[in-house]
Amino acid sequence: MRTRPLKVALLGCGVVGSEVARIMTTHADDLAARIGAPVELAGVAVRRPSKVREGIDPALITTDATALVQRGDIDVVVEVIGGIEPARTLITTAFEHGAGVVSANKALLAEDGAALHAAAEKYGRDLYYEAAVAGAIPLVRPLRESLAGDKVNRVLGIVNGTTNFILDKMDTSGAGYSEALDEATALGYAEADPTADVEGFDAAAKAAILAGIAFHTRVKIGDVHREGITEVTAADIASARRMGCTVKLLAICERAADGASVTARVHPVMIPLSHPLASVREAYNAVFVEAEAAGQLMFYGPGAGGSPTASAVLGDLVAVCRNKLGEATGPGESAYTRLPVSPMGEVVTRYHISLDVADKPGVLAQVATVFAEQGVSIDTVRQQGKDGEASLVVVTHRAPDAALSGTVEALRKLDTVRGVASIMRVEGE
């Protein structure tokens, strides 16, 4: 074993960063045995140096992250500060000065992953980011390495624990959205500003990363169709149950049947209770991968939190350190297919549409006519009426999303339709 330690710079020392530092210290001997050399925490860049950080030598703390990554003796930079800047500049500077990088920064990778990969290749460095998607669940490396000889056709799953917790509570306890969000916040699953989670931005960034790796093409967060869960109601949950379904926020990445394009989307869906994703509870994540040779694979586990995410970071750290010792680099970007990302309107899916209508003869016929004129076939209809008002629930067969959207717009123009109570896609059959 080499006795001279590999030096690690840590950018950020919050929930994840502090856990990375703790594991590096408490598991130092095991890490050294696995890597073939000891690893040494050489510096920790933070914004608030006065904060007490248990187990970390105060002499390692600095507010000058740029100087830390420019030192020249740093072997690996671990970036867990998040955001676009200064993270992007710090990572490229680390490459330039000889360090490989381990990052948990999903937002940056989804926005500018191609440029980061190009910089890593230019300087011959590693860029690993298992922790950017689904916390502790090994997902990026299986897609990037284990399935490198296979053809992945679909990736779908629950990749945001906060939204899964909220929807699960709405389903199991009958709580409304606001009540479930309050509980998630109290338990620490939701941030004070939960927008990134509940509006689907977090899941969309992860979907972009997964689609890019799975389909060997470049997918940015702007290519991902995104809808959050803020409009999901207790009535939607109840309606799903009557269908034998539950509601989940899914990231869905698919290769077109002809192989000429891909799609990436994040939105609430109704899925059958028989589907394995339906049983994923509370803040857990689960992802299905469908490949031609391997078939269906499912990855399940905690998708966030200090310890789970730190586990993924440390796994990447070991890999990058091993590569450093062997004077090699791991897999870089694979974007050779250059497939276009189709717009949401071309995606073929099913709809569950709940309408408030007048309770009088002929309404169902009018509604059915609209669906027929738009070329959308109806699977099932359920109608309930009382005191001149009625609810009409229509579940469609699969059709292009644009046709379904056009149907909804046409329905809104009917005098007998008082309003569209809810619209949700149906997946998993």
Side-chain angles (χ1 to χ4, degrees):
M1 178 185 293
R2 193 180 90 166
T3 57
R4 182 167 59 85
L6 292 160
K7 295 189 176 183
V8 178
L10 181 60
L11 307 183
C13 197
V15 174
V16 176
S18 59
E19 190 66 8
V20 169
R22 184 192 69 78
I23 295 173
M24 285 184 63
T25 301
T26 57
H27 295 180
D29 292 342
D30 287 337
L31 290 172
R34 295 165 191 169
I35 292 168
V39 288
E40 172 189 315
L41 188 59
V44 182
V46 299
R47 285 183 295 179
R48 296 185 294 276
S50 59
K51 181 180 177 179
V52 176
R53 294 172 172 85
E54 186 176 349
I56 298 178
D57 183 352
L60 297 177
I61 302 297
T62 178
T63 57
D64 194 342
T66 301
L68 179 60
V69 299
Q70 286 179 337
R71 276 177 37 173
D73 64 335
I74 300 297
D75 294 291
V76 184
V77 169
V78 175
E79 183 270 309
V80 288
I81 57 178
I84 306 300
E85 288 291 357
R88 175 169 47 198
T89 299
L90 291 170
I91 288 173
T92 54
T93 301
F95 291 148
E96 184 179 356
H97 286 80
V101 172
V102 174
S103 176
N105 196 331
K106 54 187 169 287
L108 177 57
L109 288 158
E111 177 62 33
D112 214 14
L116 295 180
H117 278 292
E121 182 178 3
K122 175 182 178 181
Y123 294 106
R125 314 299 178 205
D126 273 324
L127 174 62
Y128 277 59
Y129 43 89
E130 184 67 67
V133 180
I137 304 173
L139 189 58
V140 170
R141 196 169 301 165
L143 284 173
R144 220 165 51 152
E145 299 179 32
S146 302
L147 294 173
D150 207 338
K151 182 180 180 181
V152 176
N153 291 318
R154 196 171 192 231
V155 179
L156 76 158
I158 299 162
V159 295
N160 183 274
T162 300
T163 52
N164 199 57
F165 180 89
I166 292 170
L167 293 173
D168 182 51
K169 288 302 175 184
M170 292 175 69
D171 186 27
T172 57
S173 70
Y177 168 77
S178 296
E179 183 181 354
L181 174 58
D182 289 343
E183 184 175 354
T185 304
L187 291 172
Y189 293 130
E191 302 287 345
D193 180 1
T195 302
D197 292 322
V198 300
E199 294 293 356
F201 290 101
D202 174 86
K206 295 171 181 176
I209 295 170
L210 291 175
I213 299 171
F215 307 135
H216 304 279
T217 196
R218 288 177 178 169
V219 180
K220 298 178 69 172
I221 190 169
D223 298 320
V224 181
H225 174 82
R226 175 192 55 79
E227 298 172 27
I229 66 167
T230 55
E231 300 301 319
V232 176
T233 66
D236 293 327
I237 302 292
S239 189
R241 279 211 161 270
R242 284 192 291 270
M243 290 176 56
C245 293
T246 189
V247 178
K248 297 291 185 182
L249 182 77
L250 294 189
I252 305 172
C253 310
E254 296 176 301
R255 189 192 300 268
D258 62 4
S261 64
V262 299
T263 60
R265 49 194 166 106
V266 168
H267 51 72
V269 304
M270 292 181 178
I271 59 172
L273 293 173
S274 58
H275 194 285
L277 289 176
S279 62
V280 178
R281 304 288 305 280
E282 299 199 335
Y284 276 77
N285 284 190
V287 178
F288 258 90
V289 177
E290 298 177 9
E292 285 196 357
Q296 289 188 336
L297 307 172
M298 183 172 176
F299 301 83
Y300 170 84
S307 294
T309 306
S311 171
V313 169
L314 267 296
D316 280 351
L317 176 64
V318 169
V320 174
C321 285
R322 285 172 175 170
N323 291 343
K324 195 82 174 180
L325 288 178
E327 298 182 349
T329 55
E333 182 188 33
S334 176
Y336 71 92
T337 64
R338 296 181 175 85
L339 296 173
V341 182
S342 297
M344 186 63 191
E346 296 179 11
V347 173
V348 177
T349 185
R350 299 179 67 200
Y351 259 77
H352 173 282
I353 304 171
S354 180
L355 305 171
D356 295 326
V357 299
D359 187 15
K360 62 182 184 180
V363 173
L364 181 56
Q366 287 183 334
V367 169
T369 298
V370 169
F371 278 89
E373 289 174 345
Q374 297 293 325
V376 178
S377 176
I378 294 176
D379 183 15
T380 62
V381 178
R382 186 176 72 251
Q383 184 173 9
Q384 293 178 321
K386 185 178 180 181
D387 300 328
E389 297 296 327
S391 63
L392 190 66
V393 175
V394 179
V395 179
T396 73
H397 286 291
R398 292 173 64 83
D401 199 82
L404 290 164
S405 297
T407 301
V408 172
E409 291 305 309
L411 289 170
R412 294 183 193 274
K413 296 176 182 178
L414 293 178
D415 293 338
T416 51
V417 174
R418 311 299 193 207
V420 179
S422 69
I423 308 168
M424 195 170 297
R425 295 173 184 87
V426 182
E427 294 280 346
E429 282 80 359

